[in-house]
Amino acid sequence: MPRVGLTSERLVRAGAELADEVGFDQVTASELARRFDVKVASLYSHLKNTQELKTGIALLALDELAERASDALAGRAGKDALVAFANSYRDYSRDHPGRYAATQFRLDAEAAAASAGVKHAQMMRAILRGYDLSGDEQTHAVRLLGSVFHGYASLEAAGGFSHSAPDSQTSWTAILDTLDALLQNWPR
């Protein structure tokens, strides 16, 4: 019999909070059960296993990040859109480090296709249409931007930029300026 008050949604949300506290890799059904002061078996009325919990956290994080990015993009175009989109990723990674890590969790093909990850790609492609990129060039640029945004956020979160000048924000601004210039002059 399911424990009163426990639902899969509540468990996923609690798992996301736990991920922000201890790191996504440290989230387990056992740790989550301790949070609710229940036995692990009680969770299995709502979730099959830790894999399903982590998938749920990843889907929640992708949704949250897509909503944040969409709000940031509203009414923007060109470099302004690029910077707003990039900043939404960087800010989310700072505000929710465990959830941000969950956005990189490998989903099965069906879950990935139904996830907000598709919306992320659509938003990035919309930005790139403003740079007159389409087809393979657009795909290459989506991959470049995703790599830069994720790489920078991950290195920054690990403290990789905290030991030298200039400060991280100055480098971030320079990188976004460079990306804008590159996209304007993308080789065709």
Side-chain angles (χ1 to χ4, degrees), residues 41-70:
S42 297
L43 301 185
Y44 294 136
S45 297
H46 308 284
L47 298 167
K48 292 179 198 169
N49 50 36
T50 299
Q51 175 78 13
E52 185 176 37
L53 171 63
K54 288 191 168 192
T55 297
I57 296 168
L59 294 172
L60 172 68
L62 287 167
D63 284 342
E64 290 175 344
L65 183 52
E67 186 173 320
R68 186 179 282 206
S70 180

Side-chain angles (χ1 to χ4, degrees), residues 55-119:
T55 297
I57 296 168
L59 294 172
L60 172 68
L62 287 167
D63 284 342
E64 290 175 344
L65 183 52
E67 186 173 320
R68 186 179 282 206
S70 180
D71 289 347
L73 283 174
R76 299 176 192 267
K79 182 180 179 184
D80 193 34
L82 175 70
V83 170
F85 188 81
N87 284 338
S88 69
Y89 270 66
R90 184 175 179 224
D91 292 346
Y92 188 80
S93 76
R94 290 171 157 179
D95 295 344
H96 300 289
R99 294 177 204 208
Y100 181 77
T103 66
Q104 304 304 308
F105 186 67
R106 186 178 195 111
L107 301 172
D108 65 48
E110 185 177 324
S115 78
V118 173
K119 186 174 183 181

Side-chain angles (χ1 to χ4, degrees), residues 6-30:
L6 289 183
T7 65
S8 57
E9 181 179 334
R10 185 169 179 214
L11 292 171
V12 166
R13 289 202 174 277
E17 291 170 14
L18 178 62
D20 285 339
E21 293 170 23
V22 301
F24 182 66
D25 290 341
Q26 301 304 313
V27 173
T28 63
S30 297

Side-chain angles (χ1 to χ4, degrees), residues 82 123-134 137-143 145 183 188:
L82 175 70
M123 287 186 284
M124 223 184 279
R125 288 181 183 281
I127 292 167
L128 293 171
R129 283 192 298 275
Y131 289 96
D132 199 29
L133 294 179
S134 60
E137 286 81 19
Q138 192 179 82
T139 299
H140 300 320
V142 165
R143 291 173 180 167
L145 294 177
L183 292 170
R188 289 172 175 70

Side-chain angles (χ1 to χ4, degrees), residues 82 144-145 148-149 174-184:
L82 175 70
L144 171 70
L145 294 177
V148 171
F149 301 160
I175 288 167
L176 295 178
D177 289 344
T178 302
L179 285 172
D180 174 61
L182 172 66
L183 292 170
Q184 288 182 43

